[in-house]
Amino acid sequence: ESNEDTLSKYPFKFVLQAVYELKNFELKVNYIVKNTDNKKTIFSIGGHPAFNANFKNTSISANQREFDRYTLNGNYLNPSPIEKINFSYAHKISRSDFLNDALILKADKDLTELFLQTNVPDSESDEKQLERSTRIAVAGKNLKFFCIWSKNDEKADFVAIEPWWGVADTINSNQRLENKFGSNSLSAGQKENFEYSMSFL
């Protein structure tokens, strides 16, 4: 929760709870944000789950046919989508996808879901060369964005699928928090839940 140190950098009082629930092959994550201030609070929040992935055979599909895609200019977001990413077929991930950092997708549905299909080492085998196919679903409720990220580096053997309710500052930001693109607000005393899940299929 907020304290003197946070208030010196972020001038809002709040309580944040993170609740994790593991059931069978699904991990649910629930962020509960409560405004304990006597004024409106403005914030962004999101997750950063990443998964071991073999880039020779990794693809991502979705429960939605296409998404608007945003790009980053350094650390800043261009608020005008540059193109649409089509998920009519699984999108095979390559290093070139991350030349400009992340793929940032606009979420349009009440429940947005991305599916990661990859090969990983078979932990049940003594022979390291054996692999098995793994499928993971990451789903978020009322998301604003989904981020797909890895490094443009052969040593990076992971892909992050990140549910976001907020995004980086834009290239044309006026640096006023109340005008920040993609942010959230809560009135005094209000609270809100932000939920996502990971299912290991």
Side-chain angles (χ1 to χ4, degrees):
E1 62 184 289
S2 54
N3 54 41
E4 289 184 6
D5 186 47
T6 65
L7 288 167
S8 69
K9 302 173 180 66
Y10 175 70
F12 301 101
K13 295 178 182 179
F14 67 90
V15 171
L16 169 64
Q17 290 179 288
V19 180
Y20 298 86
E21 180 184 0
L22 179 63
K23 186 175 182 180
N24 297 325
F25 295 98
E26 181 182 45
L27 176 63
K28 292 182 178 180
V29 182
N30 184 12
Y31 300 136
I32 305 165
V33 181
K34 184 174 182 180
N35 179 3
T36 56
D37 217 324
N38 58 6
K39 60 184 178 183
K40 181 174 73 173
T41 186
I42 303 166
F43 64 96
S44 297
I45 195 166
H48 183 54
F51 308 96
N52 183 215
N54 175 359
F55 268 69
K56 294 178 182 177
N57 188 11
T58 294
S59 62
I60 291 181
S61 54
N63 69 336
Q64 176 172 328
R65 182 173 178 177
E66 62 182 14
F67 292 82
D68 286 339
R69 178 192 167 191
Y70 298 92
T71 56
L72 291 168
N73 184 349
N75 293 326
Y76 298 95
L77 183 87
N78 184 339
S80 300
I82 62 160
E83 64 181 3
K84 291 186 180 292
I85 291 186
N86 193 315
F87 282 104
S88 297
Y89 302 95
H91 174 79
K92 189 175 186 309
I93 290 293
S94 69
R95 295 291 176 195
S96 62
D97 284 325
F98 309 109
L99 284 172
N100 293 314
D101 203 87
L103 302 178
I104 301 173
L105 313 178
K106 179 184 178 183
D108 291 325
K109 291 190 171 185
D110 291 341
L111 181 69
T112 309
E113 194 165 21
L114 296 186
F115 303 92
L116 174 71
Q117 179 86 36
T118 188
N119 285 354
V120 295
D122 188 346
S123 60
E124 297 180 359
S125 173
D126 293 331
E127 299 182 42
K128 293 183 180 179
Q129 69 270 24
L130 292 182
E131 295 183 335
R132 59 185 172 82
S133 180
T134 296
R135 193 164 189 251
I136 301 163
V138 182
K141 290 185 178 180
N142 299 314
L143 286 176
K144 292 189 174 182
F145 308 94
F146 241 131
C147 170
I148 304 169
W149 176 74
S150 188
K151 290 186 175 182
N152 183 31
D153 182 339
E154 294 298 328
K155 295 180 181 179
D157 56 355
F158 69 89
V159 173
I161 301 180
E162 308 178 25
W164 287 355
W165 296 267
V167 74
D169 233 344
T170 58
I171 54 176
N172 57 356
S173 169
N174 64 7
Q175 300 188 1
R176 299 289 301 176
L177 194 56
E178 62 268 23
N179 302 134
K180 188 175 186 299
F181 178 71
S183 63
N184 311 275
S185 65
L186 284 174
S187 298
Q190 278 193 328
K191 69 177 180 180
E192 190 170 354
N193 291 21
F194 300 85
E195 301 177 33
Y196 71 94
S197 66
M198 294 167 278
S199 301
F200 303 90
L201 309 172

